[in-house]
Amino acid sequence: MSVAEMPSPQRGSLQACLVVTSRPGPTPTTTFVPTSEESIVVSSVQAIVADIYRFVVGVDTHAATHTFAVVAAPNGALVDQVTFPTSPAGLRRALAWIARRTGGDLDAVLVAAEGTGSYGAVLSAVLCQAGYRVVEAPTPKRERGRGKTDTLDAVLAARATMVLPVTMLRDRRAGQVQAALAVLTVARDQLNADRLRCINALTALVRSHDLGLDARRALTAPQVAAIAGWRRRDEDFGLATARAEAVRLAKRIVDLTAELGHNRDQITEIVAEQAPELLDLPGVGPVTAAVILTVWSHPGRVRTEAAFAQIAGTCPIPASSGNTVRHRLNRGGDRRLNRAFNTIVLTRMRIDPDTRVYIDRRRAEGKTTKEIRRCLKRYTTRQVYRALATAHPTPELITSAA
């Protein structure tokens, strides 16, 4: 609603109101409008954390200890700081300490922790279960000449979060499905890396020793299976040792291939049950869908498709100069998610007819292949986000619709 659409206030009224005006960008802008005769817009206001929360708890997480610092709004004054071990008893003590230092008001406290997906994952789960909101602390900016301790890092995390707009807070990833997919996708990356190393080692071995196998080209699955079935022979000691190692590597490759197949079956089952709409999109397979769901996590974590593009590193980066107006690929964001979108786009560029038509049209306009791929990644990000947002609306939208 614009200012012109507001009902006219009564003459002489001294009240004021907040109006949300529609402007280009990821989030609406809140404008403070005095309800006077002329309805003049005074200033743009965007709520920050210090306007909403009375206390911000910064946490510097480590393997053995967590350091906590409580700062008070709005000036960021340090209330207290302490360090607790990461044991279950230590986490319970930390929870009780936060409640004592903040008066026990859960809605007035925001916890900004570093590494909510790694060292701080267990702590974040405990705090969320207790009713606190936990967000990822901003990346600290190291200034030359300033010291670094766990206490300073905790205070810096709290004060840096306090001045952030509320719309820029990064909620932690949560949920059993997200946790399962995160474990399976990480395990798949490790299995793929191990399999590739074994294939490379086996290829080098059969090319450097005469084991009776034509290895001028890349080894095929039947060749690997044949090597795994080799038996001990009466031959020179060095050659026999090389053959035994080749058999070991081949058997390891066969086992890893079977484990990858089982891993894919598990991922496919979860994705098909939780987000079948992703598998209906061209170029999206179970593995790339699992990576997307891991980052998206749950309804409400990513509030806009622009924010999703920022996380994925697919938002455009201006690279214009002089008479040249262009954008370039984004090198930031979650690189695993970016790789998933890149895989989807490469698949579409190869097999999707609509994408091929789009590529031909953009090439005729003078776009390079990299620029076309950037545009396709941004479009795919928008399409995926809308599919997820439509199938899994946030609780606030469900409540308002009811």
Side-chain angles (χ1 to χ4, degrees):
M1 184 173 67
S2 63
V3 177
E5 296 172 344
M6 291 182 57
S8 300
Q10 296 181 356
R11 184 180 297 274
S13 172
L14 298 179
Q15 298 177 349
C17 59
L18 288 175
V19 180
V20 178
T21 61
S22 298
R23 296 183 181 178
T27 57
T29 303
T30 305
T31 307
F32 183 81
V33 183
T35 57
S36 61
E37 273 184 272
E38 301 172 353
S39 295
I40 302 175
V41 176
V42 177
S43 62
S44 293
V45 179
Q46 191 174 19
I48 63 173
V49 171
D51 298 329
I52 306 298
Y53 297 94
R54 290 174 51 205
F55 299 98
V56 178
V57 181
V59 189
D60 184 35
T61 60
H62 292 280
T65 61
H66 296 326
T67 300
F68 300 78
V70 178
V71 299
N75 58 356
L78 179 63
V79 176
D80 199 359
Q81 65 83 26
V82 70
T83 300
F84 291 109
T86 58
S87 62
L91 297 183
R92 289 194 296 270
R93 291 170 55 197
L95 193 61
W97 179 83
I98 293 174
R100 290 196 303 271
R101 294 297 182 270
T102 59
D105 187 357
L106 299 178
D107 295 332
V109 180
L110 178 69
V111 180
E114 297 180 356
T116 56
S118 54
Y119 287 137
V122 176
L123 171 66
S124 300
V126 170
L127 292 173
C128 286
Q129 188 175 6
Y132 292 101
R133 183 183 180 185
V134 182
V135 299
E136 181 71 29
T139 303
K141 296 181 179 179
R142 306 295 182 190
E143 296 183 7
R144 192 178 186 87
R146 293 190 61 177
K148 179 192 179 305
T149 65
D150 293 348
T151 301
L152 291 177
D153 286 348
V155 174
L156 180 61
R159 288 175 176 167
T161 303
M162 182 169 287
V163 298
L164 282 179
V166 177
T167 56
M168 292 184 63
L169 293 177
R170 297 180 295 169
D171 289 302
R172 61 181 288 269
R173 302 175 186 180
Q176 297 302 315
V177 174
Q178 187 275 339
L181 289 176
V183 170
L184 290 174
T185 51
V186 171
R188 186 172 186 83
D189 288 344
Q190 293 174 345
L191 290 172
N192 270 319
D194 290 344
R195 182 174 178 271
L196 180 60
R197 280 193 291 267
C198 290
I199 291 175
N200 290 339
L202 179 59
T203 302
L205 193 62
V206 297
R207 286 178 177 173
S208 56
H209 296 84
D210 184 13
L211 299 177
L213 183 73
D214 185 3
R216 291 175 294 177
R217 296 184 179 181
L219 294 176
T220 63
Q223 286 179 313
V224 173
I227 296 173
W230 281 351
R231 296 182 180 182
R232 187 183 300 273
R233 304 180 185 182
D234 185 13
E235 52 191 354
D236 295 338
F237 179 69
L239 200 60
T241 304
R243 187 178 299 278
E245 177 64 12
V247 171
R248 185 192 70 82
L249 289 172
K251 289 181 177 179
R252 181 60 179 155
I253 294 171
V254 172
D255 292 341
L256 288 171
T257 302
E259 291 179 25
L260 282 169
H262 179 63
N263 176 276
R264 183 182 182 86
D265 292 340
Q266 288 181 289
I267 291 176
T268 302
E269 182 180 355
I270 296 174
V271 172
E273 180 181 351
Q274 299 296 328
E277 63 278 357
L278 290 182
L279 300 180
D280 295 333
L281 299 176
V284 181
V287 177
T288 51
V291 175
I292 293 170
L293 285 176
T294 301
V295 177
W296 185 74
S297 183
H298 56 275
R301 178 177 184 265
V302 184
R303 288 173 286 274
T304 65
E305 59 93 10
F308 193 50
Q310 182 74 25
I311 294 174
T314 58
C315 55
I317 301 295
S320 302
S321 177
N323 294 328
T324 303
V325 179
R326 58 180 291 271
H327 295 79
R328 66 169 177 84
L329 291 172
N330 192 340
R331 307 298 179 185
D334 188 314
R335 302 316 298 171
R336 177 177 292 176
L337 179 60
N338 188 280
R339 185 178 63 184
F341 279 116
N342 189 65
T343 301
I344 295 171
V345 167
L346 291 177
T347 303
R348 290 184 175 186
M349 293 174 69
R350 191 172 62 253
I351 66 173
D352 185 45
D354 294 336
T355 303
R356 296 298 308 171
V357 172
Y358 175 83
I359 293 173
D360 294 339
R361 178 168 61 84
R362 298 295 274 180
R363 279 218 177 102
E365 295 173 1
K367 297 290 185 182
T368 65
T369 301
K370 285 186 177 180
E371 291 172 334
I372 295 172
R373 190 167 72 246
R374 180 198 64 77
C375 295
L376 286 171
K377 288 170 70 173
R378 183 64 181 89
Y379 167 77
T380 305
T381 305
R382 183 183 302 114
Q383 185 185 39
V384 167
Y385 176 82
R386 289 178 178 176
L388 289 171
T390 301
H392 310 277
T394 59
E396 292 81 1
L397 292 178
I398 297 176
T399 305
S400 60

